[in-house]
Amino acid sequence: MIADFPLAEEQRFIWESAARFARDRVAPDAAKRDREHRFPFDLVSELAQLGLLGVKVQVEDGGSGADMTSYVLAISEISRACASTAVTMAVSNLVADILSRFASLDQKQRWLEPFLAGRMGPASFALSEPSSGSDAAALQMTAVRDGDAWVLNGSKQWITNGTHASFHLLFARVVDGPGPHPPGSKGITCFVVERGAKGLDAGTEERKMGLRSSNTAQLHLTDVRVPAVNVVGEVGKGYAIALSGLDTGRIGIAAQALGIMEAALAEGVRYAKERKAFGKALAEQQATQFAIADSRTDLEQSWLLTLRAAADRDRGAERTAKASSMAKLFSTEACGRVVDRMLQIHGGYGYVEDYPIERLYRDARVTRIYEGTSEVQRIVIARELLAG
Ligand SMILES: Cc1cc2nc3c(=O)[nH]c(=O)nc-3n(C[C@H](O)[C@H](O)[C@H](O)COP(=O)(O)OP(=O)(O)OC[C@H]3O[C@@H](n4cnc5c(N)ncnc54)[C@H](O)[C@@H]3O)c2cc1C
């Protein structure tokens, strides 16, 4: 569908380079990496060389200076080849986006520029905790001031790139002493915590249902001293930073789901043309045709909502909470329907590793959970609609 869309020259250029890279470099080993739970270190540095770790970051800060639409196009192509590589790229862009908008010049020189140049490896966005995910403002990690440093204590859960990150963009609550602390966003502050900081343990890697070549880990912090100059933005303003990052992050996950849907539909159509039952190809059976028609309609609706959210951003909207949430909600739920229908077309062969639909089916599931579950997206949309 996107091929028929009016795209600017730069958007088409980024889309085509991402598609070429996805086809030539990301796709060939995707199934093998998944089976081996192998993190794509080489691809992360190649993504950096292509400018795909900071697509929207301005050129002066080392980014590509492109727009949100270009980012959507790029991530959908990477995801079509490998959703694990896409989530690694999505989190990198989320971190880069936040640093480019909220970090000081010194901080950008120290972390953002080398990160985007591919000299640092991956980075993480550490908001969720063992007892707070959807209700992220209830986080319990504490930061207590001690001289020219902050002392951080607590744990983070489900952190993408957690084990391999060269630095973490980490959210903790500034307090005077030990908890328990009241829920709410008061005091939440954004810190950069570097790999190897004393007291930082990048825990055990999770064994996941899907996205097996992405890395997801717990972080445990025990009396980790973080220099005061590592605070990103103002002390106490971290929650607003996280939410503003998630506005764009959610469009990225919607685009990740677009890529999975594109791949699943292509697999389903191919199989339906090959496989015969009752004397004719599945593609000639009307039930199969309906599944394909409904899936294509789901996919195109998802494209429209996602491109619309991206366009709002490109027009300069500071916050796009409702549009981002609608894109993520619809696109990820549609993705669930599409992979399910396409697996069904494969029959028993859809349930084994020999066909790509099995991996696509597993990878799709988490898109309805991370960067805010579908329920959380509905809460955001309703809140915006009912306000005022
Ligand atoms: C593979 C993976 C990678 C991730 N990467 C990151 C990362 O890089 N950084 C990071 O910070 N986090 C990350 N996450 C965490 C993710 O964002 C959370 O899992 C998600 O926000 C949901 O939180 P939870 O798991 O604690 O579920 P809960 O918040 O405990 O929710 C459980 C269920 O209750 C529902 N629910 C909760 N509240 C309500 C309500 N008010 N109304 C209706 N239903 C409700 C939820 O929708 C969900 O279905 C990742 C998670 C996974 C699985």
Side-chain angles (χ1 to χ4, degrees):
M1 169 206 153
I2 195 66
D4 312 329
F5 236 70
L7 294 176
E9 203 177 315
E10 189 192 34
Q11 292 167 337
R12 191 165 290 279
F13 175 78
I14 291 178
W15 174 46
E16 286 172 358
S17 359
R20 207 174 312 117
F21 178 70
R23 188 192 59 226
D24 296 345
R25 293 285 301 127
V26 184
D29 263 351
K32 191 160 182 280
R33 282 194 302 274
D34 176 77
R35 276 198 295 278
E36 296 170 357
H37 295 245
R38 180 159 47 85
F39 186 79
F41 285 105
D42 50 344
L43 296 179
V44 174
S45 46
E46 290 177 55
L47 284 167
Q49 303 313 322
L50 283 172
L52 293 180
L53 293 189
V55 176
K56 284 173 40 291
V57 173
Q58 56 182 358
V59 176
E60 303 86 85
D61 291 337
S64 292
D67 60 9
M68 194 70 200
T69 303
S70 305
Y71 177 57
V72 163
L73 297 168
I75 205 149
S76 70
E77 288 298 339
I78 304 299
S79 179
R80 186 201 289 238
C82 173
S84 288
T85 306
V87 74
T88 307
M89 171 179 160
V91 169
S92 303
N93 275 274
L94 172 59
V95 169
D97 178 49
I98 289 177
L99 285 177
S100 75
R101 290 191 290 136
F102 298 100
S104 67
L105 191 60
D106 278 356
Q107 291 173 332
K108 287 181 183 179
Q109 286 171 349
R110 189 149 169 215
W111 297 297
L112 182 60
E113 290 171 25
F115 168 63
L116 293 178
R119 294 199 296 273
M120 294 186 88
S124 92
F125 170 87
L127 179 65
S128 303
E129 298 191 354
S131 55
S132 63
S134 301
D135 186 10
L139 64 83
Q140 291 292 316
M141 180 170 285
T142 56
V144 177
R145 186 73 189 230
D146 181 25
D148 60 358
W150 293 93
V151 179
L152 271 57
N153 277 288
S155 295
K156 293 289 171 186
Q157 180 78 23
W158 313 120
I159 305 309
T160 300
N161 301 340
T163 314
H164 307 309
S166 50
F167 66 93
H168 308 274
L169 217 52
L170 186 143
F171 297 84
R173 190 185 304 276
V174 164
V175 293
D176 292 333
H181 305 287
S185 61
K186 193 162 176 282
I188 294 179
T189 302
C190 179
F191 297 88
V192 171
V193 179
E194 292 183 316
R195 181 190 182 87
K198 191 160 173 274
L200 168 65
D201 170 16
T204 334
E205 190 175 335
E206 304 292 348
R207 301 285 292 181
K208 302 191 295 292
M209 169 198 280
L211 296 186
R212 288 182 175 167
S213 68
S214 76
N215 169 262
T216 315
Q218 298 170 0
L219 304 177
H220 303 293
L221 284 80
T222 311
D223 292 334
V224 174
R225 286 184 74 82
V226 179
V229 290
N230 286 27
V231 169
V232 177
E234 287 175 51
V235 171
K237 297 283 167 61
Y239 196 61
I241 293 177
L243 289 187
S244 120
L246 287 174
D247 271 6
T248 48
R250 285 170 180 167
I251 301 175
I253 302 305
Q256 183 194 24
L258 289 172
I260 299 173
M261 273 188 275
E262 292 275 9
L265 193 53
E267 292 300 327
V269 168
R270 182 170 32 241
Y271 191 83
K273 286 180 176 171
E274 282 167 18
R275 178 76 174 173
K276 290 200 169 53
F278 300 98
K280 56 183 177 181
L282 289 178
E284 291 171 47
Q285 319 276 1
Q286 200 176 45
T288 313
Q289 293 169 358
F290 282 11
I292 288 169
D294 285 346
S295 297
R296 184 75 202 177
T297 308
D298 267 336
L299 172 60
E300 297 213 5
Q301 288 182 84
S302 303
W303 266 115
L304 291 175
L305 275 172
T306 308
L307 288 173
R308 181 252 153 97
D312 280 0
R313 200 84 201 174
D314 291 338
R315 273 196 297 273
E318 253 309 295
R319 293 287 319 266
T320 53
K322 179 158 67 71
S324 300
S325 285
M326 290 197 299
K328 182 182 188 280
L329 172 63
F330 191 86
S331 186
T332 61
E333 297 271 335
C335 184
R337 294 191 291 272
V338 170
V339 293
D340 189 65
R341 290 186 199 114
M342 295 305 113
L343 190 147
Q344 192 70 13
I345 286 177
H346 281 72
Y349 291 104
Y351 199 65
V352 290
E353 284 180 353
D354 307 27
Y355 285 83
I357 192 66
E358 181 265 348
R359 174 168 54 91
L360 294 164
Y361 184 85
R362 286 187 287 104
D363 285 352
R365 188 61 182 87
V366 76
T367 63
R368 285 151 64 190
I369 295 173
Y370 59 21
E371 297 216 14
T373 61
S374 289
E375 292 72 29
V376 165
Q377 308 311 324
R378 291 186 178 97
I379 292 170
V380 173
I381 298 162
R383 189 189 294 142
E384 295 260 324
L385 283 171
L386 298 171

